Amino acid sequence: MAGKAVKEVVPDQVVRKTAEEWVIAKQVPSVYLAGVKQQKNWSKNKMLEEREFDTALREFLTAAADGRKR
């Protein structure tokens, strides 16, 4: 019985942009970016993948306003 040749799936080129570029591309309010940068201690022009940006933004938007742990 011959085995099937399995193609390895290689993801397309990973897109990395600055946090500021992701804000423009996703039309996120700049106030949210300021909060995410404060929470994550990001500097200006932090390079990120899209999923990293989305995760950080989601964490910021669902976090407690007073900084306590849920």
Side-chain angles (χ1 to χ4, degrees), residues 3-69:
K4 289 184 179 180
V6 177
K7 275 189 172 180
E8 184 176 331
V9 177
V10 179
D12 293 338
Q13 188 72 10
V14 176
V15 177
R16 294 180 62 86
K17 296 181 183 179
T18 64
E20 291 79 6
E21 290 173 328
W22 284 121
V23 165
I24 293 168
K26 294 178 172 282
Q27 298 180 347
V28 175
S30 60
V31 175
Y32 291 174
L33 175 62
V36 171
K37 287 170 73 172
Q38 175 68 31
Q39 184 181 41
K40 296 291 187 180
N41 295 321
W42 289 350
S43 62
K44 185 177 180 183
N45 297 324
K46 171 81 172 168
M47 296 296 289
L48 304 162
E49 293 178 13
E50 185 175 11
R51 65 178 172 75
E52 291 174 312
F53 178 79
D54 291 342
T55 301
L57 182 62
R58 190 175 316 107
E59 287 174 2
F60 172 72
L61 293 175
T62 59
D66 61 0
R68 65 186 157 83
K69 302 293 180 192

